[in-house]
Amino acid sequence: MLTADDIATYHRDGVLVMPGLFSRAETEALQSAFERDAKIPGGHRITEANDTDVRAVYASHWRQPEFASLTRSARLLGSAQRLLDAPLYVYQLKTNAKPAFGGDKWAWHQDFLAWRLADNIARPRLVNAVVFLDDVTEFNGPVIFVPRSHTAGLVRRDRNDTARSAQHLDPDDIELTPAELAACVDQGGMVSPKGPAGSVVFFHPEIVHGSAPNMSPHPRRLAIVTYNDVANPPRPTGTPRPEYLAARNVTPLTVEDDVLAGGRA
Ligand code: SIN
Ligand code: MN
């Protein structure tokens, strides 16, 4: 699926955009699965400050076969295996929902800091695969990346004392300062990949990223599968986080291609 150029782009920039990787039928199947899943109560479902809008839903691949199939598709898993050149498992899967007229921002941050602090993961041997469940435009709060910011390691080392979230570690809790962000942007600039539903963005766990609130009339739902090298598992020192945040089964996944074809997964 990925060319040598794609792989080089990922390693150079920390972000790789693959437009239209999933068909309309497949994307509609995922949208329906998400709508079903977002109604299931539990700690895996995070709401916005108004306690009503869904901010994020974790581990849909345990409850919805469409998401389980997605994690094993050649287009995601096969590509991620090539980017990391290792056997992989799903460490975390979430959908950041950002509903119309209400999805809040995601503060500027680096994912690997969250995963090191929360789960004591040793190395940034992970890759995020983002699947657009909706068309992503300049209006509905696209993720903004700072290209090449993954090459300098972690910008900060700790989390704030006043945490927005106890366990899921909202980016607010590890937000870069304005000066830190400005220095990164001076070096790398900013990009915000946009495109039709079904497009995919691969991004590095140390790239600086964030997104603005969604004040448009259109939702911006992103399913984000985080694959980890099976040799790089969490090493919790105290009580491990709930498994919907940090999976404990590190059995390598195998590709099962075309399972989403025609939206029948
Ligand atoms: C977002 O959903 O806009 C943020 C994604 C992320 O932090 O990984
Ligand atoms: Mn993030």
Side-chain angles (χ1 to χ4, degrees):
M1 194 68 52
L2 299 185
T3 65
D5 274 0
D6 293 333
I7 293 170
T9 298
Y10 175 82
H11 290 300
R12 185 191 65 219
D13 294 345
V15 56
L16 171 69
V17 186
M18 303 291 288
L21 225 50
F22 291 92
S23 70
R24 190 185 170 115
E26 291 172 315
T27 311
E28 284 172 357
L30 289 167
Q31 287 169 353
S32 308
F34 177 72
E35 277 156 25
R36 282 197 306 277
D37 205 45
K39 296 194 178 91
I40 299 174
H44 63 274
R45 184 178 178 276
I46 315 289
T47 50
E48 295 283 8
N50 64 11
D51 281 340
T52 309
D53 290 341
V54 173
R55 178 163 173 80
V57 175
Y58 283 86
S60 296
H61 58 314
W62 293 353
R63 297 175 298 271
Q64 308 298 338
E66 294 85 345
F67 279 87
S69 300
L70 180 70
T71 64
R72 292 175 177 275
S73 65
R75 284 162 285 178
L76 290 200
L77 175 60
S79 303
Q81 285 169 336
R82 292 201 59 208
L83 292 174
L84 281 173
D85 197 19
L88 304 178
Y89 73 99
V90 175
Y91 158 71
Q92 187 181 85
L93 182 151
K94 61 183 177 270
T95 301
N96 288 351
K98 211 177 264 196
F101 300 116
D104 201 357
K105 70 164 186 172
W106 293 85
W108 292 108
H109 68 284
Q110 293 171 293
D111 288 345
F112 182 59
L113 176 59
W115 301 332
R116 210 179 66 164
L117 290 173
D119 303 319
N120 197 23
I121 289 199
R123 291 179 301 145
R125 294 275 306 151
L126 309 96
V127 61
N128 291 298
V130 183
V131 183
F132 295 3
L133 300 191
D134 298 298
D135 295 347
V136 175
T137 68
E138 65 266 51
F139 307 116
N140 61 357
V143 181
I144 305 170
F145 298 94
V146 180
R148 301 193 298 283
S149 53
H150 67 300
T151 56
L154 290 176
V155 176
R156 61 175 288 182
R157 302 267 148 190
D158 50 6
R159 67 183 289 185
N160 299 338
D161 295 336
T162 49
R164 172 173 177 156
S165 59
Q167 287 179 313
H168 84 281
L169 240 171
D170 194 280
D172 272 11
D173 305 340
I174 51 168
E175 181 171 18
L176 270 61
T177 64
E180 288 166 343
L181 194 263
C184 292
V185 173
D186 269 356
Q187 297 284 315
M190 293 185 279
V191 295
S192 60
K194 295 169 280 286
S199 301
V200 171
V201 175
F202 295 97
F203 74 94
H204 190 280
E206 291 186 301
I207 195 170
V208 172
H209 61 288
S211 65
N214 180 11
M215 60 194 286
S216 84
H218 305 297
R220 189 237 57 181
R221 294 165 296 185
L222 303 180
I224 307 180
V225 185
T226 304
Y227 295 101
N228 188 15
D229 184 335
V230 298
N232 188 43
R235 304 164 303 163
T237 47
T239 311
R241 291 203 298 168
E243 210 167 347
Y244 58 80
L245 295 172
R248 289 195 264 285
N249 181 353
V250 301
T251 310
L253 284 177
T254 50
V255 168
E256 288 174 17
D257 206 4
D258 291 334
V259 281
L260 275 165
R264 68 170 172 77

